[in-house]
Amino acid sequence: MLRTHTCGELRAECIDQEVTLCGWVDSYRDHGGGLFVDLRDRYGKTQVVFGPESGESVLNASRALRAEFVISATGKVAHRPEGTVNDKLPTGAIEVRCSQLQILNSSLTPVVSPSQTELPGEDLRLKHRYLDLRRPEMQKTLFLRSQIVKKMRDHFEEHGFIDVETPVLGRSTPEGARDYLVPSRIHRGAVYALPQSPQLYKQILMMAGYDRYVQVARCFRDEDLRADRQPEFTQLDMEMAFVDAEDVISVIDSLVVKVAREILGLEVTLPLPRMTYDEAMERFGHDAPDLRFGMELVDCTDLAAQSEFRVFRGVADSGGKVRGMNAPGGGKHYSRKNIDELTEFVQNDFGAKGLAWFRVEDDGTLFSPIAKNFDAALLQQFSDRLQAQPGDLLLFVADVWEVTCKALYGLRRRLGAELKLYDPDTMHFSWVVEFPMFAFDEDEQQWAAMHHPFTAPRPEDLDLLDSNPGQCRAQAYDLVINGSEAGGGTIRIHDNEIQKKVFKLLGLDEAASQERFGFLLDALQYGAPPHGGIALGIDRWVMLFGKRENIRDCIAFPKTQRATDLMTDAPGKVGPKQLEELGIRIVS
RNA sequence: GGGGCCGUAGCUCAAUUGGUUAGAGUACCGGACUGUCGAUCCGGUGGUUGCGGGUUCGAGUCCCGUCGGCCUCGCCA
């Protein structure tokens, strides 16, 4: 070892020890007669002092030190003189009086300074990721990530799960997200696909008798990126045989308790709150509601139908919905101009035609440009139903049900943050259950799987597969943390006939399902046990537990929004020889 | 594919309504200083205002295009 200690561990008890530290020069203060260096590694910072007692050559050499030089410094641990103790550093009581200095490597002036308080632009941070990752904040987050994954692995091992690796090169599944494809050299014209998840492999493992499987699995989806979405991401993937939904949920419940306790020191009480999909959509307009605050959606279609306001009447009469919510304190917080911005927000982002609003005045009456279309008694009914208090802002969207959901969900999220309706430090865990099996795809004029095509219907809804697929509910469960989908799973179909029936409903005829999923249908005929599981989004867990608002801060080497790596410049072009071997021609 | 924000010194930012030689902090370079810890003090270097066009007597500022970063809708079984 080139060092005897790290830069975070020396304390007053170590006085007079001869030590050698290695690290990066975080900052230096040259006083002419003496020079101070804060030496940094991932464990902390320690002050190294150069003075006359260091000897002339060492002192002179120290004058060459600059930010991010890598050095090895040997010397005695000493008390700092009275009055110079630094309370901000855990090592602040001591310093190392350097007697031997080795410059292990120099550094250019860092583009991204690990010690700087102002955060450089994210493009620079990504391009010089080796510098950005030196920042204590990034090191803290990646350490947190490591801890979370370890807790998960421990938990599943304690529960008898076996870690099995599944292929990265697989077969393209046409449903779901767009695949990343890998051309085959040996089979010209054929391609592998990178897995969107290990879904089918883990089901096959259940059929193979590995009744408790777990894997930290990299998944790939070639779709557009978001603040919480990367093209490659990591799932804690698990599957169990001979279980029902309660068994899977229970294993995750205890994991949540463990991680919350051991990572955050937080006691989570079980059972976690549960809500059905229908209830979540009705009360919050979304299947992963943020339950840290109220501001629930309220249906006022019946009241709207009684008004003279043409927009409300028209929508109510044509089968649409008029739904609203009460933004507490919003009447005081938002100006006319702010409300115009909110209107543009719901129009541009969610396709709402407009936003109707009422400000609750000090005397409890409702002020609005459209108030004249409502008589006083009706206004009072709106006011009562939304439990309006002076200073509140009542917001309404009139449209088809789906649009009211999206627009009000978007508003609720935005206003919840802007009006500070919750403490950002709280953590809220819940389950959303009883998802529909199918959603109707208007473009394709076709039922589409809400979760995936292998999801089992609830036994009591089995008949609905034939009579009314839209009403058929799945044995599905999503883990929601602070309004974020942190995991999702289902009980799978283990019956060949039901699986065939679902494929058929999804528009896959016998030949197509045989071609794509023949291996699954085959396996289902050789003694497939009942099974189900779940996948947890590890990157999102890190975001939520680490209070990061950006998934890129939770991944060592993430992609930009345009799915490039600014450090390596991936994806890149390849030469004609490589393309020729693969039988690929670039057309445009 | 659509909507929005941003791009000025190595870095973080400023620059009035379109108007003088584009400034500040920090970093960097030189000097001073034995106790600092965002060291301090003195002096200095540093600019294709992302790129290309246009409008104008005059563009960092306005317009069009383009490149890049971010947020978002669509998309994400």
Side-chain angles (χ1 to χ4, degrees):
Chain A
M1 290 292 284
L2 300 185
R3 62 185 177 195
T4 60
H5 296 76
T6 71
C7 296
E9 65 176 312
L10 292 175
R11 296 289 184 277
E13 299 84 71
C14 313
I15 296 301
D16 287 337
Q17 281 184 38
E18 176 94 353
V19 300
T20 300
L21 300 182
C22 290
W24 287 263
V25 174
D26 193 69
S27 63
Y28 62 96
R29 296 171 290 280
D30 188 349
H31 285 246
L35 189 144
F36 303 89
V37 165
D38 287 341
L39 196 62
R40 184 196 70 238
D41 62 16
R42 94 175 166 84
Y43 307 93
K45 288 197 278 192
T46 301
Q47 174 163 283
V48 179
V49 186
F50 300 87
E53 66 209 52
S54 301
E56 198 178 336
S57 68
V58 168
L59 181 58
N60 280 337
S62 75
R63 293 193 212 285
L65 296 178
R66 293 295 177 271
E68 300 311 309
F69 275 34
V70 185
I71 65 170
S72 147
T74 302
K76 271 212 168 115
V77 180
H79 280 296
R80 293 194 184 190
E82 220 177 307
T84 65
V85 167
N86 186 346
D87 296 328
K88 290 183 215 155
L89 287 182
T91 61
I94 57 91
E95 62 193 16
V96 173
R97 305 262 166 86
C98 185
S99 55
Q100 252 183 288
L101 169 67
Q102 200 179 353
I103 297 180
L104 299 170
N105 218 330
S106 64
S107 170
L108 298 175
T109 299
V111 174
V112 174
S113 166
S115 63
Q116 196 172 303
T117 43
E118 298 156 316
L119 204 57
E122 194 166 1
D123 45 349
L124 286 170
R125 292 175 50 207
L126 292 171
K127 182 170 168 60
H128 303 275
R129 194 60 163 172
Y130 36 88
L131 295 175
D132 191 44
L133 290 175
R134 281 181 205 164
R135 291 172 42 239
E137 177 120 63
M138 287 303 297
Q139 300 199 333
K140 195 177 126 199
T141 306
L142 290 186
F143 183 68
L144 172 75
R145 182 181 180 115
S146 166
Q147 289 293 294
I148 289 176
V149 171
K150 182 187 185 311
K151 303 290 176 204
M152 288 178 169
R153 286 202 153 114
D154 288 351
H155 182 75
F156 287 104
E157 195 190 340
E158 284 158 17
H159 285 77
F161 284 72
I162 171 173
D163 188 329
V164 182
E165 292 174 80
T166 55
V168 166
L169 296 178
R171 192 195 159 93
S172 172
T173 52
E175 284 85 19
R178 197 174 292 115
D179 283 320
Y180 276 101
L181 300 178
V182 179
S184 164
R185 173 184 59 84
I186 295 170
H187 303 277
R188 282 198 157 208
V191 294
Y192 301 98
L194 304 183
Q196 297 179 23
S197 81
Q199 183 60 36
L200 288 169
Y201 292 109
K202 68 174 175 178
Q203 289 191 233
I204 298 287
L205 284 169
M206 293 305 106
M207 299 168 201
Y210 297 77
D211 65 344
R212 290 185 167 212
Y213 142 94
V214 70
Q215 181 182 196
V216 175
R218 192 66 62 86
C219 306
F220 305 86
R221 294 179 191 175
D222 187 6
E223 297 293 345
D224 285 353
L225 287 75
R226 287 285 185 281
D228 63 351
R229 251 165 49 189
Q230 282 273 304
E232 57 177 307
F233 58 99
T234 310
Q235 287 188 341
L236 190 295
D237 192 46
M238 70 90 123
E239 193 81 2
M240 309 167 77
F242 309 114
V243 293
D244 58 23
E246 293 305 321
D247 299 309
V248 178
I249 286 175
S250 150
V251 171
I252 301 304
D253 275 349
S254 52
L255 175 68
V256 165
V257 169
K258 177 191 178 85
V259 175
R261 179 184 296 144
E262 295 177 13
I263 299 283
L264 298 178
L266 192 74
E267 287 305 319
V268 174
T269 33
L270 297 178
L272 299 180
R274 250 183 238 195
M275 192 180 289
T276 66
Y277 171 87
D278 286 344
E279 186 182 355
M281 296 305 290
E282 197 54 39
R283 292 173 57 191
F284 303 99
H286 195 254
D287 62 359
D290 191 337
L291 299 181
R292 288 175 298 180
F293 62 103
M295 200 157 79
E296 299 190 13
L297 314 196
V298 180
D299 194 325
C300 297
T301 311
D302 56 325
L303 300 180
Q306 301 168 40
S307 83
E308 299 303 319
F309 187 42
R310 290 234 306 265
V311 174
F312 277 18
R313 275 284 288 280
V315 167
D317 291 347
S318 61
K321 294 284 177 190
V322 177
R323 297 206 286 170
M325 60 192 185
N326 178 358
K332 293 262 190 275
H333 188 271
Y334 291 108
S335 67
R336 239 354 230 270
K337 192 179 160 214
N338 296 147
I339 296 173
D340 287 345
E341 285 165 8
L342 295 178
T343 305
E344 280 177 42
F345 172 60
V346 294
Q347 288 172 332
N348 293 338
D349 280 9
F350 307 106
K353 291 176 196 70
L355 183 65
W357 59 272
F358 297 87
R359 194 175 65 211
V360 188
E361 305 290 38
D362 289 339
D363 63 1
T365 59
L366 300 186
F367 170 82
S368 171
I370 59 166
K372 60 179 181 293
N373 299 295
F374 302 78
D375 65 43
L378 190 56
L379 281 181
Q380 190 59 47
Q381 288 189 64
F382 275 104
S383 182
D384 290 345
R385 188 169 297 180
L386 291 171
Q387 300 177 345
Q389 299 293 320
D392 290 350
L393 181 66
L394 312 183
L395 297 161
F396 296 90
V397 173
D399 215 304
V400 294
W401 182 79
E402 288 80 4
V403 172
T404 63
C405 283
K406 285 183 180 177
L408 291 169
Y409 163 72
L411 273 178
R412 180 174 177 272
R413 256 168 66 115
R414 177 170 169 170
L415 302 193
E418 289 181 2
L419 295 170
K420 298 188 169 55
L421 297 183
Y422 55 90
D423 173 359
D425 284 336
T426 56
M427 294 288 280
H428 191 285
F429 305 86
S430 68
W431 290 100
V432 174
V433 298
E434 293 184 26
F435 284 77
M437 280 287 287
F438 310 100
F440 197 72
D441 184 333
E442 296 291 341
D443 294 337
E444 303 286 331
Q445 284 296 301
Q446 172 72 56
W447 290 107
M450 190 112 175
H451 196 77
H452 58 53
F454 322 108
T455 300
R458 289 163 59 88
E460 59 267 44
D461 290 356
L462 212 46
D463 293 340
L464 293 169
L465 280 182
D466 299 310
S467 57
N468 190 352
Q471 287 296 308
C472 185
R473 288 166 301 169
Q475 298 187 58
Y477 31 85
D478 275 8
L479 176 68
V480 178
I481 308 179
N482 297 352
S484 190
E485 184 193 331
T490 63
I491 297 299
R492 331 295 183 186
I493 297 168
H494 70 281
D495 179 288
N496 186 44
E497 292 307 316
I498 297 176
Q499 184 65 72
K500 279 186 182 167
K501 190 179 275 188
V502 169
F503 281 155
K504 197 171 164 194
L505 256 169
L506 295 172
L508 287 170
D509 61 24
E510 186 88 18
S513 44
Q514 211 31 255
E515 139 135 45
R516 288 169 194 177
F517 303 113
F519 64 98
L520 178 72
L521 294 172
D522 286 350
L524 284 172
Q525 297 178 86
Y526 287 93
H531 62 286
I534 192 168
L536 308 175
I538 286 179
D539 314 278
R540 286 200 187 153
W541 276 57
V542 178
M543 279 178 79
L544 293 160
F545 280 85
K547 298 294 169 196
R548 314 299 315 190
E549 53 196 54
N550 188 315
I551 197 170
R552 294 179 299 280
D553 285 353
C554 305
I555 296 174
F557 301 102
K559 303 281 189 287
T560 67
Q561 186 163 59
R562 292 180 64 249
T564 62
D565 179 337
L566 293 180
M567 187 178 73
T568 64
D569 217 19
K573 299 228 160 105
V574 295
K577 191 175 169 197
Q578 274 182 290
L579 291 176
E580 166 58 29
E581 272 187 332
L582 297 166
I584 288 178
R585 196 169 63 225
I586 304 299
V587 176
S588 57

